[in-house]
């Protein structure tokens, strides 16, 4: 049986993929991400785009909280504490500017954490492993570039 959370995830990934890759707003987001100063001089309303992105982030966070609360049938203040590391890891693993990359990275992170839970790995060890994975993902391309070219 397919969960409603998975259906929402796929639907929003498709919607935001279309928005990001096929609209002027998506091109503005890419431009601002590359160089906000140049985007300002190009006539893009950087403040408005950033505000829209913050609003969309808040909307998606609210939807995620409703889904999590509905699944657990309860809530508390610290229900998602320490998930920041996993989320940053998903974004970094996904690469820049590709929704498909972030979706694949999210699936990889889910499989890694699920596998570690099946092995009864304590939460602190999982956090250390995920942190090491993040450091590796950031450092590995830089080390490869250093070895290939001799420069950082």
């Amino acid at each position: 049986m397919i969960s409603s959370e998975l259906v929402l995830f796929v639907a929003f990934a498709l919607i935001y993929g279309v928005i990001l890759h096929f609209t002027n707003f998506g091109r503005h987001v890419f431009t601002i991400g590359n160089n906000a100063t140049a985007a300002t001089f190009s006539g893009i309303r950087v403040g408005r785009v950033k505000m829209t992105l913050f609003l969309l982030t808040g909307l998606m966070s609210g939807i995620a909280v409703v889904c999590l609360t509905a699944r657990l049938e309860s809530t508390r203040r610290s229900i998602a504490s320490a998930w920041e590391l996993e989320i940053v890891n998903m974004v970094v693993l996904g690469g820049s500017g590709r929704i498909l990359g972030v979706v694949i990275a999210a699936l990889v992170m889910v499989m890694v954490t699920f596998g570690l839970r099946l092995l009864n790995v304590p939460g602190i060890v999982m956090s250390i492993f995920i942190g090491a994975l993040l450091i590796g993902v950031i450092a590995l391309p830089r080390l490869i570039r250093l070895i290939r070219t001799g420069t950082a």
Side-chain angles (χ1 to χ4, degrees):
M1 185 171 134
I2 297 176
S3 69
S4 59
E5 292 88 357
L6 180 62
V7 172
L8 276 174
F9 176 72
V10 170
F12 281 124
L14 289 173
I15 290 168
Y16 284 118
V18 168
I19 289 171
L20 191 61
H21 296 294
F22 299 109
T23 65
N24 284 332
F25 178 76
R27 286 189 267 296
H28 291 171
V29 170
F30 278 121
T31 304
I32 292 168
N34 288 327
N35 190 341
T37 306
T40 302
F41 287 121
S42 298
I44 296 172
R45 295 179 176 172
V46 174
R48 179 180 283 183
V49 172
K50 284 185 178 181
M51 178 59 86
T52 304
L53 290 173
F54 280 119
L55 290 171
L56 289 172
T57 301
L59 175 68
M60 292 296 103
S61 298
I63 291 171
V65 166
V66 168
C67 290
L68 183 62
T69 303
R71 176 161 294 274
L72 298 177
E73 296 178 356
S74 69
T75 190
R76 62 183 187 281
R77 284 181 294 141
S78 61
I79 199 162
S81 66
W83 283 8
E84 300 88 3
L85 184 62
E86 290 183 32
I87 293 167
V88 168
N89 217 345
M90 286 179 214
V91 172
V92 171
L93 274 172
S96 65
R98 297 284 177 201
I99 295 293
L100 182 61
V102 175
V103 169
I104 292 171
L107 293 174
V108 167
M109 286 301 300
V110 166
M111 288 189 289
V112 165
T113 54
F114 184 72
L116 290 174
R117 284 190 190 115
L118 283 177
L119 294 172
N120 289 327
V121 174
I124 189 69
V125 176
M126 282 178 40
S127 295
I128 291 170
F129 180 78
I130 291 170
L133 182 64
L134 179 62
I135 290 170
V137 166
I138 292 173
L140 191 62
R142 197 168 176 112
L143 288 173
I144 290 171
R145 188 173 352 127
L146 180 69
I147 292 168
R148 282 187 183 165
T149 63
T151 61

